[in-house]
Amino acid sequence: MCSSDLAGRRAWVGGHGLQIRGIPAATPLAYLETKRWGVPIASLVVLEDLSSARCSAELKPGDPEAQHLPKLLLRLVTRLHRTGSLHADLQAMHIYLVKHGEETELSLIDLEGVRFPGRLRDQQRIQMLSEVNATFD
């Protein structure tokens, strides 16, 4: 269960919102809210299984996939910025390399912090870039 009362709903909306905007993310399949007296007190979201994908945080400099990572990251961050999408915790451990035949794309998880403010402020862009940069050595 998510610690925040509406985290499951936010992850559901965030994941589908990213996909609608052409940004790969683990597909939210279901979410459940537990309510007490009509007030949500806990939530759970079930995401698409990405266990066959590789977490970008696990990549080492010599890995074959690592050579394509900068180009893939550039594409992902550009899509986020152009669509006014904000991932509040853009770190290597939340970015997965998903293979589709010969092609590889990056897919996001940890979707509860995704927001769609429209036009991103410079500070929001810098924050996202700083977070992702700090997690790659």
Side-chain angles (χ1 to χ4, degrees):
M1 291 225 174
C2 299
S3 60
S4 176
D5 54 344
L6 297 176
R9 181 180 297 176
R10 286 194 314 269
W12 174 271
V13 170
H16 287 290
L18 288 172
Q19 290 181 342
I20 287 168
R21 289 162 176 82
I23 300 167
T27 303
L29 302 172
Y31 81 91
L32 171 71
E33 288 180 349
T34 302
K35 296 181 180 183
R36 184 161 293 138
W37 304 103
V39 177
I41 59 170
S43 63
L44 173 74
V45 65
V46 178
L47 296 177
E48 169 188 9
D49 180 13
L50 293 182
S51 61
S52 63
R54 189 157 182 205
C55 179
S56 64
E58 298 170 356
L59 291 178
K60 304 293 180 225
D63 289 343
E65 293 123 335
Q67 67 183 0
H68 301 292
L69 190 60
K71 181 176 71 172
L72 295 171
L73 279 170
L74 176 62
R75 185 180 314 150
L76 175 67
V77 171
T78 301
R79 282 183 185 171
L80 286 167
H81 289 196
R82 283 188 178 155
T83 61
S85 305
L86 179 66
H87 191 289
D89 198 15
L90 192 61
Q91 298 181 35
M93 66 182 171
H94 300 146
I95 303 170
Y96 279 73
L97 287 92
V98 179
K99 290 198 179 273
H100 300 287
E102 293 296 315
E103 295 291 316
T104 299
E105 71 177 0
L106 299 181
S107 190
L108 297 171
I109 63 165
D110 192 29
L111 306 173
E112 68 190 55
V114 172
R115 302 286 184 277
F116 305 102
R119 185 173 178 174
L120 298 180
R121 297 185 321 268
D122 287 342
Q123 184 58 36
Q124 292 170 312
R125 294 173 194 269
I126 291 167
Q127 179 68 32
M128 266 199 303
L129 291 170
S130 297
E131 286 174 352
V132 75
N133 185 52
T135 61
F136 286 100
D137 294 349

